[in-house]
Amino acid sequence: MPEQEHYVIRPALPRDIPVLIAMFNRTMPLVYKGIVPDELFPERLGIIATTLWREWTFVSVLHRATPGEALSLAEIPEHRGCGDPDGVGGLVHIVNDSHIGLLWLDDAFRGHGCGASLLDFAERHIAGTGHEEATLEVYAENTEAVKFYKHKGWKVSRRYVGEVGALVLAMHKELAG
């Protein structure tokens, strides 16, 4: 990626939703292989697509910046490498001002600090709405995600078997006011 490329986190637009759905179609079977039964992928993808269309105003995306946009992840050394030339490469969906319903990256964005940027953004947003705690849920077998969240200070609140039969970890984090 050329160093002059800059990436921002911005509110989603309706035109982003088909791109995000395609991203899920491409990456979800790889990430959730062995966690979500194969026969349930179409249903899960349908639920995500419906949620994104219905709640796109609560979604923020990591996107290639246009010249002049103020926030630049590429200017921060630990965030170099985020993005692809087509633009959108990840999202965070915040539910009820305090719950992270989805945090997802396209494969090319993983391992470059982009997920940390989206999570930090979500935590700041949630704290900015007056909430002292944020919550999320993650499949226990999604060990990379669990490790990531724990590294970022999240703690397991409870464990339960989710609707696809996999163990889910409900996590929370106290936010600085």
Side-chain angles (χ1 to χ4, degrees), residues 12-24 48-57 59 61:
L13 300 170
R15 71 173 186 249
D16 297 323
I17 304 309
V19 174
L20 294 171
I21 292 169
M23 177 183 67
F24 274 97
I48 289 170
T50 301
T51 300
L52 290 174
W53 277 117
R54 192 179 28 194
E55 300 184 22
W56 66 267
T57 57
V59 174
V61 296

Side-chain angles (χ1 to χ4, degrees), residues 26-172:
R26 187 174 54 257
T27 60
M28 192 173 164
L30 300 172
V31 173
Y32 288 158
K33 186 77 174 164
I35 299 172
V36 175
D38 291 348
E39 64 272 11
L40 295 182
F41 278 120
E43 175 189 343
R44 303 311 300 166
L45 290 166
I47 291 168
I48 289 170
T50 301
T51 300
L52 290 174
W53 277 117
R54 192 179 28 194
E55 300 184 22
W56 66 267
T57 57
F58 301 105
V59 174
S60 296
V61 296
L62 183 74
H63 188 272
R64 186 174 64 163
T66 58
E69 283 185 290
L71 174 63
S72 174
L73 297 177
E75 291 173 353
I76 306 168
E78 63 268 23
H79 298 295
R80 290 189 190 281
C82 298
D84 72 16
D86 296 325
V88 176
L91 73 98
V92 63
H93 174 228
I94 300 172
V95 181
N96 297 327
D97 288 333
S98 65
H99 180 78
I100 299 172
L102 289 170
L103 191 152
W104 200 269
L105 293 173
D106 204 341
D107 289 342
F109 290 67
R110 296 175 192 271
H112 299 287
C114 299
S117 294
L118 283 168
L119 185 60
D120 292 345
F121 170 85
E123 290 173 6
R124 285 191 311 274
H125 174 83
I126 291 167
T129 63
H131 293 275
E132 296 177 0
E133 180 181 78
T135 61
L136 61 80
E137 296 172 334
V138 61
Y139 289 119
E141 290 184 58
N142 187 352
T143 56
E144 289 299 313
V146 172
K147 179 180 168 184
F148 166 73
Y149 291 126
K150 285 183 175 181
H151 176 74
K152 296 293 283 176
W154 288 74
K155 297 186 180 349
V156 176
S157 304
R158 69 184 177 101
R159 302 165 195 271
Y160 66 93
V161 176
E163 58 191 53
V164 299
L167 182 63
V168 175
L169 302 179
M171 301 183 81
H172 73 280

